[in-house]
Amino acid sequence: MQRDIQNIVILTGAGVSAESGVATFRGPDGLWEGHRVEDVATPEAFARDPDLVQKFYDARRAKLRTVEPNAAHQALAKLDAHWPGDLLLVTQNVDDLHDRAGSKRLLHMHGELNSAWCLACDERSRFDGVMADDPACPHCQQTGHLRPDIVWFGEMPYQMERIELALAQCDLFVSIGTSGAVYPAAGFVQSARHYGVQTLEMNLDPSEGSFHFHESRMGRAGDLVPDWVAEILQDI
Ligand code: OAD
């Protein structure tokens, strides 16, 4: 499969960060456990109870300081550094573990915990503090207008046109550690198939769209991804 591949699009989900100790969303220990999505991850929830929503994301942002990239993040960063063709790593994750591992050709389609969006000046700024304390916007200095720069349910993920173009122009689409439960990311495999692209899934168990993939490898991302990266790099 590798020989004809020039351009690659990779999609990652919470499973890629699970071995770093970041909770996934679904399943018994999932992040939504104890929280209803509609209480913490919608614009309506933020309008109704901003303090609850800010504290939920403040806790997740604080948790980032206690975790490190794992072998899967590191292997993907190595692939990015060495792959001569186009490569786009699209992550649904709002953690910064791909960034810290060194991935450069990276797009956070669901936003980032370490980014603040000011609803007064509409600017986004790097942010690693506590939003529930109502800090001033680093850009316009007004207080009381920052929200987590996270794509909530009912909002449009970032850079969809760029992702669609990359899918149309790639030769291989790889999905890692995502349950395939949330669109539009869950539909990328179908777009890739529509464009005649080879597709590979790596996940702990079959995702909801598993049957769309040409090949599925089941196991832990920290084992599967370094093996796959070694495989694909040996052919360049
Ligand atoms: P999920 O929690 O839905 O799925 C995580 C997937 O990773 C599951 O299929 C697990 O089996 C798998 N998994 C767990 N541990 C793994 C490991 N060590 N190695 C490989 N796979 C493993 O998370 P996502 O699919 O990322 O959106 O969820 C998608 C979106 O739903 C999130 O981005 C978030 C959420 O609502 C927003 O917040 C907008």
Side-chain angles (χ1 to χ4, degrees):
M1 173 159 104
Q2 279 89 339
R3 302 219 175 269
D4 303 327
I5 293 167
Q6 288 184 2
N7 303 333
I8 306 175
V9 175
I10 302 164
L11 172 71
T12 61
V16 83
S17 296
E19 288 156 67
S20 294
V22 180
T24 59
F25 290 91
R26 296 167 184 82
D29 301 320
L31 187 62
W32 299 134
E33 190 90 339
H35 292 279
R36 295 187 320 153
V37 170
E38 52 274 32
D39 287 340
V40 290
T42 65
E44 293 77 17
F46 188 57
R48 197 170 50 237
D49 192 345
D51 202 47
L52 174 82
V53 174
Q54 295 288 24
K55 283 183 173 145
F56 175 75
Y57 289 100
D58 281 343
R60 295 181 62 197
R61 192 178 304 109
K63 169 86 180 162
L64 289 188
R65 287 186 223 118
T66 70
V67 298
E68 296 293 334
N70 65 48
H73 300 105
Q74 280 153 2
L76 292 172
K78 180 177 173 188
L79 180 65
D80 185 6
H82 293 96
W83 188 252
D86 286 349
L87 181 144
L88 182 63
L89 173 54
V90 179
T91 188
Q92 298 170 88
N93 298 343
V94 295
D95 67 49
D96 60 352
L97 295 177
H98 284 307
D99 311 67
R100 280 201 265 149
S103 280
K104 301 282 183 253
R105 294 179 274 183
L106 172 65
L107 188 165
H108 280 273
M109 67 176 289
H110 287 167
E112 295 175 73
L113 282 167
N114 284 335
S115 175
W117 178 11
C118 177
L119 298 176
C121 70
D122 203 28
E123 288 291 330
R124 289 168 167 86
S125 311
R126 301 316 295 170
F127 183 87
D128 62 5
V130 178
M131 252 183 236
D133 291 348
D134 254 350
C137 165
H139 190 78
C140 72
Q141 309 306 328
Q142 292 194 67
T143 54
H145 298 286
L146 291 184
R147 64 161 268 185
D149 188 10
I150 304 283
V151 175
W152 286 325
F153 286 91
E155 297 181 324
M156 183 58 80
Y158 295 146
Q159 302 197 47
M160 286 304 299
E161 280 180 21
R162 184 176 162 207
I163 297 170
E164 194 63 30
L165 189 65
L167 285 169
Q169 293 176 345
C170 76
D171 312 294
L172 175 64
F173 170 69
V174 184
S175 172
I176 305 168
T178 176
S179 61
V182 175
Y183 282 81
F188 291 172
V189 62
Q190 284 153 280
S191 291
R193 292 301 299 257
H194 170 77
Y195 295 123
V197 170
Q198 284 292 316
T199 54
L200 165 66
E201 164 176 66
M202 288 180 263
N203 208 42
L204 203 55
D205 41 32
S207 66
E208 291 186 21
S210 202
F211 59 93
H212 290 299
F213 288 85
H214 290 99
E215 185 186 348
S216 291
R217 301 183 186 181
M218 297 296 114
R220 289 153 51 102
D223 300 325
L224 295 177
V225 178
D227 286 352
W228 170 69
V229 167
E231 216 175 276
I232 194 156
L233 282 179
Q234 86 184 359
D235 276 351
I236 60 173

